[in-house]
């Protein structure tokens, strides 16, 4: 009888954390150096990481799955709301919009935008990264409605766009150099809350 240790590992199960990290780092390095999402290959990633292609395919079903995990590391986890007030939570969450824990993101994320518009798979990849963050903010708004802080008739999805859009465009394009990014999250939230707070 075959023991558990001798049994074949299922596809995608990592066998070395160090190899996982090397593959993710290689992917991000190549993207930051100018490789496009379309052009980057598993072969190039494997060569940069110093592993064989088979090592990658044991961990990820394909390039898109690997890109998803690599790009997700750029964002890190969204801030967790304190629950003390809708305003405090929104300011913290909006302040994280367009912010990345990895400096390579400044080179990678703007290059992702054209691909998102042209390619349905890349659009799905982008949405899989941003939706968990959007969900946290969505729940803060719904909690505000339940607790009576916000009007019950607000459009939650439009409100999400109103409070995240300005930070995205400012941090990605520096749309208005006269805006102070350190105070912008609170200013945007206060402007939007002025219209959606319960009276």
């Amino acid at each position: 009888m075959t023991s558990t240790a001798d049994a074949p590992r299922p596809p995608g199960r990592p066998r070395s954390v160090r190899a996982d990290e090397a593959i993710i780092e290689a992917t991000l390095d190549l993207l930051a150096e100018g490789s496009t999402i379309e052009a980057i290959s598993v072969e190039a990633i494997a060569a940069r990481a110093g592993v064989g292609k088979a090592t990658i395919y044991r961990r990820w079903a394909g390039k898109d799955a690997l890109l998803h995990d690599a790009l997700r590391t750029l964002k890190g986890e969204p801030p967790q709301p304190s629950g003390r007030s809708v305003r405090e939570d929104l300011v913290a969450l909006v302040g994280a919009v367009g912010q990345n824990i990895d400096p390579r993101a400044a080179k990678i994320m703007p290059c992702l935008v054209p691909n998102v518009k042209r390619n349905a798979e890349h659009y799905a990849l982008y949405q899989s990264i941003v939706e968990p963050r959007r969900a946290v903010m969505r729940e803060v708004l719904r909690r505000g409605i339940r607790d009576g802080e916000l009007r019950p008739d607000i459009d939650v999805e439009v409100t999400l766009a109103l409070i995240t859009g300005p930070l995205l465009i400012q941090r990605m394009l520096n749309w208005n150099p006269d805006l102070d990014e350190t105070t912008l999250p609170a200013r945007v939230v206060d402007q939007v809350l002025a219209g959606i707070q319960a009276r």
Side-chain angles (χ1 to χ4, degrees):
M1 184 174 69
T2 304
S3 70
T4 302
D6 295 331
R9 296 175 185 268
R13 180 178 173 183
R15 299 198 291 190
S16 165
V17 173
R18 185 174 299 174
D20 289 355
E21 292 174 348
I23 293 165
I24 292 291
E25 287 299 304
T27 303
L28 294 176
D29 283 343
L30 288 168
L31 289 171
E33 290 166 10
S35 294
T36 65
I37 286 181
E38 287 112 335
I40 195 171
S41 67
V42 171
E43 290 83 356
I45 294 168
R48 175 63 69 92
V51 301
K53 286 196 301 179
T55 302
I56 293 177
Y57 285 118
R58 279 197 296 268
R59 290 157 171 77
W60 291 276
K63 186 176 82 169
D64 285 345
L66 170 54
L67 286 170
H68 173 271
D69 285 355
L71 292 172
R72 190 171 57 184
T73 66
L74 289 175
K75 302 295 294 181
E77 295 299 321
Q80 292 306 304
S82 67
R84 287 188 288 268
S85 74
V86 168
R87 181 188 183 277
E88 181 179 322
D89 289 344
L90 288 179
V91 170
L93 291 168
V94 172
V97 171
Q99 296 280 62
N100 305 287
I101 61 173
D102 192 315
R104 290 171 294 190
K107 296 179 179 178
I108 295 173
M109 296 308 289
C111 298
L112 180 61
V113 174
N115 292 287
V116 166
K117 297 292 289 183
R118 292 195 301 260
N119 185 296
E121 290 182 357
H122 295 162
Y123 176 76
L125 170 63
Y126 170 75
Q127 288 296 330
S128 72
I129 295 168
V130 300
E131 174 54 28
R133 309 175 81 81
R134 201 161 46 218
V136 175
M137 200 176 299
R138 187 182 289 119
E139 179 52 33
V140 169
L141 293 172
R142 288 174 176 164
R143 188 193 77 219
I145 294 171
R146 291 194 302 269
D147 294 348
E149 286 190 68
L150 304 179
R151 293 188 352 234
D153 62 339
I154 68 169
D155 187 318
V156 170
E157 300 305 317
V158 170
T159 303
L160 288 175
L162 287 172
I163 58 181
T164 57
L167 269 294
L168 276 174
I169 194 171
Q170 185 64 24
R171 285 179 172 160
M172 289 187 70
L173 301 176
N174 193 26
W175 182 76
N176 184 344
D178 294 329
L179 288 174
D180 182 353
E181 283 193 22
T182 60
T183 61
L184 188 58
R187 292 168 65 188
V188 168
V189 169
D190 287 341
Q191 288 285 328
V192 174
L193 283 179
I196 66 174
Q197 280 179 317
R199 305 294 182 184

